[in-house]
């Protein structure tokens, strides 16, 4: 199948960047279909570490065309900065050639960022723990039909009219809320300037992708965040505001629904950044040890990630929602020296047991855990599944059994070659 979709299976940070990097070596197009610069995809290249927030991870491969699809929300000022940083690293970023931007993608403006942070402040102890980058308000304005699209930035009359429309609605309640009013002329200047820079890349990306698909080109759809952060299928309201599961891959690109290979990326343990229910969370010293061993600190915000046991209930749910056919298991090497436990069911508040992820009261479930023997060997140099310690193999096989998903790839370190293919 020429199309592959890669999605994070839980709450993001599963190591998608590395997997997309090695899959991109064999593909023609790499396409982001949702989220914005709340994402942080880390690649460890021979020249050092690279964190991408908005630009697809295929940019490091000379032959791939990288597309920011219509489902992404784009902060144009951030995007210009990210392009500059990549060029400073010696990477080719050629707008209109190896980087295309959907003219339909919605734009994040400063007011969105302020609104995001203001809303978090109001929520108090019920806060979501957003990245504060304006993602939610930008998607909200898209639905409210007052958003700006990238194509507006290169059409001065439309841009001015769209900004007036946005200011009319926002300024009606920004002042009473204590937020600064939108200054249309200042915004116009900044956005038009960014539009001029980005102009060669702003195209009908959906049409390009449909043509590529019709011509049998290999397309890699790069999910951002994770299935449990999906605004509809995730742990609402502690989610992001986009369709992070496979469902977003078609609406977020303009590609027609078609059969594809869907790969779910799962870390060998679970992590979550921000607030919200996390049934297998380890709030004790073991969780701390896991955070340090796995260097579990956010690549976008630097926040410490919450850590816990692998949750086969959640993974099975996300796999089903996203049509996942196989898992890539990352960070197995990090579990060296840890006792191993897997969550195989939840005990509900009424005492019953379930293997289905509930839409409500996830914060009240108790994980039912099975214990497995751990391993003490260093896995980072292992390149064959059979060469893994027996207990590490048994752990991988137990995950396969409980999730019903085959694991064809195991990652044992951040670098490209630290991978076991079965
Ligand atoms: P927002 O996307 O900034 O609105 O944040 C909503 C929730 O999604 C928060 O819990 C964030 O920490 C989380 N989130 C957003 N993007 C990512 C990501 O790329 N990785 C992990 N968590 C994320």
């Amino acid at each position: 199948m020429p199309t592959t979709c890669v999605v994070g299976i839980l709450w993001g940070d599963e190591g998608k960047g590395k997997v997309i990097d090695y899959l991109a070596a064999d593909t023609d197009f790499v396409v982001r279909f949702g989220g914005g610069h709340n994402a942080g995809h880390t690649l460890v290249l021979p020249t050092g570490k690279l964190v991408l927030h908005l630009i697809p991870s295929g940019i490091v491969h000379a032959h791939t065309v990288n597309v920011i699809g219509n489902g992404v929300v784009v902060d144009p000022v951030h995007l210009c900065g990210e392009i500059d940083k990549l060029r400073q690293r010696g990477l080719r970023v050629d707008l209109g050639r190896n980087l295309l931007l959907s003219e339909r993608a919605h734009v994040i403006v400063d007011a969105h960022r302020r609104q995001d942070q203001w809303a978090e402040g109001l929520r108090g102890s019920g806060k979501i723990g957003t990245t504060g980058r304006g993602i939610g308000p930008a998607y909200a304005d898209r639905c409210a039909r007052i958003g700006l699209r990238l194509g507006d930035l290169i059409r001065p009359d439309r841009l001015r009219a769209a900004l007036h429309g946005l200011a009319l609605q926002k300024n009606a309640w920004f002042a009473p809320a204590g937020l600064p009013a939108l200054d249309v002329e200042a915004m116009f200047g900044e956005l038009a300037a960014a539009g001029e820079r980005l102009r060669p890349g702003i195209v009908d990306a959906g049409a390009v992708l449909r043509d590529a698909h019709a011509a049998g080109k290999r397309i890699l759809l790069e999910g951002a965040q994770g299935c449990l952060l999906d605004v509809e299928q995730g742990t609402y309201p502690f989610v992001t505001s986009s369709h992070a599961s496979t469902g977003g891959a078609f609406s977020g690109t303009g590609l027609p629904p078609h059969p594809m290979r869907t790969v779910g990326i799962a870390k060998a343990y679970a992590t979550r950044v921000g607030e919200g229910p996390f049934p297998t969370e380890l709030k004790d010293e073991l969780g701390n040890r896991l955070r340090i061993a796995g260097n579990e600190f956010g690549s976008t915000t630097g926040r410490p990630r919450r850590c816990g046991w692998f949750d086969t209930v959640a993974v099975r749910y996300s796999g089903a929602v996203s049509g996942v056919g196989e898992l890539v298991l990352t960070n197995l090497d990090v579990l060296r020296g840890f006792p191993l436990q897997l969550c195989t069911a939840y005990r509900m508040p009424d005492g019953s047991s379930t293997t289905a992820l509930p839409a409500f009261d996830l914060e009240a479930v108790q994980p039912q855990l099975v214990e497995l023997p751990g391993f003490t060997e260093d896995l980072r140099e292992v390149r064959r599944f059979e060469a893994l310690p027996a207990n590490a193999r048994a752990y991988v096989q137990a995950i396969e059994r409980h999730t019903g998903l085959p694991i064809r790839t195991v990652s044992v370190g951040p670098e490209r070659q630290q991978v076991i293919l079965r």
Side-chain angles (χ1 to χ4, degrees), residues 139-283:
Y139 278 116
D141 283 355
R142 183 175 81 171
C143 287
R145 292 152 295 176
I146 54 170
L148 311 175
R149 297 186 290 172
L150 273 183
D152 289 323
L153 304 192
I154 52 172
R155 294 174 172 84
D157 291 347
R158 291 197 70 101
L159 177 58
R160 194 167 262 112
L163 282 171
H164 276 295
L166 187 69
L168 191 69
Q169 296 237 1
K170 296 244 183 254
N171 289 348
W173 65 271
F174 263 35
L179 287 164
L182 272 68
D183 177 341
V184 168
E185 280 316 307
M187 291 173 78
F188 179 86
E190 185 178 67
L191 293 170
E196 266 324 295
R197 274 204 65 188
L198 300 173
R199 178 187 285 277
I202 300 177
V203 298
D204 185 349
V208 173
L209 290 172
R210 285 190 293 278
D211 287 349
H213 171 59
K217 298 283 185 198
R218 296 161 304 176
I219 298 175
L220 180 58
L221 299 164
E222 174 175 1
Q225 289 83 45
C227 297
L228 292 187
L229 285 176
D230 184 291
V231 66
E232 294 193 77
Q233 308 299 342
T235 50
Y236 192 88
F238 299 98
V239 292
T240 189
S241 301
S242 63
H243 301 282
S245 54
T246 307
F250 299 123
S251 62
T253 57
L255 278 167
H258 60 276
M260 57 187 186
R261 170 188 178 209
T262 301
V263 180
I265 315 300
K267 217 180 271 184
Y269 46 93
T271 63
R272 172 161 208 175
V273 64
E275 307 303 318
F278 180 0
T280 63
E281 181 171 11
L282 285 162
K283 292 185 177 158

Side-chain angles (χ1 to χ4, degrees), residues 11-13 38-40 116 128-132 135-136 225 229 239-240 273-275 303:
W11 295 282
D13 307 317
N38 49 351
D116 190 358
I128 294 167
T130 72
T131 59
I135 305 296
Q225 289 83 45
L229 285 176
V239 292
T240 189
V273 64
E275 307 303 318
R303 288 180 290 177

Side-chain angles (χ1 to χ4, degrees), residues 54-77:
L54 204 46
I55 295 178
S57 305
I59 200 76
V60 299
H61 294 278
H63 65 282
T64 63
V65 178
N66 296 275
V67 182
I68 294 184
N70 58 271
V72 176
V73 281
V74 178
D75 177 331
V77 177

Side-chain angles (χ1 to χ4, degrees), residues 99-130:
L99 181 61
L100 308 181
L101 318 170
S102 169
E103 59 189 2
R104 289 180 166 84
H106 275 249
V107 170
I108 300 180
V109 296
D110 252 344
H112 291 135
R113 208 177 352 267
R114 286 198 293 268
Q115 193 182 326
D116 190 358
Q117 290 161 10
W118 166 85
E120 279 288 84
L122 279 190
R123 287 183 193 113
S125 61
K127 70 175 195 258
I128 294 167
T130 72

